[in-house]
């Protein structure tokens, strides 16, 4: 029954977050855990936009592209102003069911608060174009309050920052170390965007990367495939 419910959620979520002409999110919960992108199948011709975004994305092990974006009050937030701190970027769309699930009871419910208390800078970015799903100020303000997000939601309506980081899904996560290097990119966790089965072990990749970084350890998982709605460029 739980698996049926999970698959039903996935089907409904895909319908809700996919607009005409867009590719749907990756496979449903219950498939193998996300693998490093180097092991992923080659993109098909229909996936050309995603392949181009992937080719352009900021690479793990390389400097994070700087940017300045306005928050929901119009105040500019510059990535470089947080130099010397660990930073998490979270691609956000309040209308995406995968984002909603992650914030209500998934990998984004408590992890941001735990790490921001320890000095981590957490920034949500909405790269949707005006008029697309989840892009109005009202929607973002409402979701920010509902989800208890104490960190900024930044507006990237031209999509330049999303493309620079190769963000293809919401949520898509990037961890940047205090030296300004991208050390993790991909999914929040191993649930593939759905709900885990009872007793199913779940690895929160972002939480693990931040914990390892704080302890001065090497990041054990540096890159995975993000799951969720397509970014509404």
């Amino acid at each position: 029954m739980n698996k049926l419910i999970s698959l039903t959620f996935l089907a409904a979520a895909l319908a809700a977050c996919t607009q005409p002409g867009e590719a749907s999110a990756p496979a449903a919960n219950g498939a193998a855990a996300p693998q490093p992108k180097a092991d992923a199948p080659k993109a098909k011709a229909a996936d050309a936009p995603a392949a181009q975004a992937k080719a352009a994305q900021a690479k793990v092990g390389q400097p994070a592209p700087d940017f300045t974006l306005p928050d929901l009050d119009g105040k500019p937030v510059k990535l470089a102003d947080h130099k010397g701190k660990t930073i998490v970027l979270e691609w956000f769309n309040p209308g995406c069911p995968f984002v909603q699930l992650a914030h209500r009871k998934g990998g984004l419910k408590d992890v941001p608060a735990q790490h921001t208390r320890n000095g981590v800078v957490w920034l949500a970015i909405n790269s949707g174009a005006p008029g697309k799903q989840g892009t109005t100020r009202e929607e973002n303000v409402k979701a920010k309050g509902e989800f208890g997000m104490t960190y900024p939601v930044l507006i990237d309506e031209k999509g330049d920052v999303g493309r620079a980081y190769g963000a293809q899904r919401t949520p898509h996560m990037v961890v940047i170390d205090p030296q300004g290097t991208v050390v993790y990119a991909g999914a929040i966790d191993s649930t593939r965007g759905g709900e885990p089965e009872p007793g199913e072990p779940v690895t929160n990749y972002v939480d693990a990367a931040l914990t390892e970084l704080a302890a001065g350890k090497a990041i054990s998982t540096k890159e995975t495939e993000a799951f969720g709605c397509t970014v509404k460029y």
Side-chain angles (χ1 to χ4, degrees):
M1 178 63 72
N2 286 318
K3 187 174 183 62
L4 177 61
I5 292 172
S6 179
L7 292 176
T8 300
F9 164 79
L10 263 294
L14 292 177
C17 73
T18 303
Q19 296 182 344
E22 293 180 333
S24 61
N29 185 44
Q35 297 297 315
K37 292 181 180 177
D39 297 331
K42 293 182 179 179
K44 299 179 181 178
D47 297 326
Q52 292 170 1
K54 179 179 177 181
Q57 79 176 78
K59 304 295 184 182
V60 171
Q62 296 183 3
D66 192 21
F67 61 80
T68 301
L69 290 173
D71 66 13
L72 293 177
D73 294 319
K75 178 182 177 181
V77 175
K78 186 175 177 63
L79 184 71
D81 288 344
H82 300 294
K83 184 178 180 181
K85 296 183 179 180
T86 297
I87 304 168
V88 176
L89 306 181
E90 169 200 333
W91 264 266
F92 182 73
N93 170 4
C96 171
F98 293 91
V99 170
Q100 296 167 9
L101 176 64
H103 274 281
R104 287 173 176 150
K105 54 182 178 180
L108 286 169
K109 186 177 187 298
D110 299 313
V111 170
Q114 292 170 0
H115 289 284
T116 54
R117 283 196 296 266
N118 294 326
V120 171
V121 175
W122 203 290
L123 304 172
I125 300 175
N126 190 328
S127 291
K132 296 288 185 74
Q133 181 194 61
T135 56
T136 68
R137 181 180 184 277
E138 292 73 21
E139 288 175 287
N140 285 271
V141 169
K142 180 181 178 181
K144 187 174 185 291
E146 179 186 341
F147 299 153
M149 299 166 67
T150 58
Y151 48 95
V153 174
L154 309 182
I155 303 303
D156 175 35
E157 63 180 21
K158 292 183 178 179
D160 293 341
V161 176
R163 292 187 179 93
Y165 281 86
Q168 300 175 39
R169 305 284 173 184
T170 52
H172 174 105
M173 311 299 297
V174 172
V175 177
I176 303 168
D177 73 9
Q179 289 71 49
T181 301
V182 176
V183 295
Y184 174 77
I188 303 164
D189 57 34
S190 58
T191 62
R192 297 176 72 87
E195 294 187 62
E197 297 298 317
E200 176 186 345
V202 175
T203 300
N204 190 309
Y205 299 119
V206 175
D207 180 49
L210 293 173
T211 301
E212 290 167 342
L213 195 58
K217 298 180 179 179
I219 306 300
S220 55
T221 301
K222 298 180 180 180
E223 192 169 9
T224 61
E225 183 178 1
F227 291 85
C229 304
T230 54
V231 176
K232 310 304 184 208
Y233 290 118

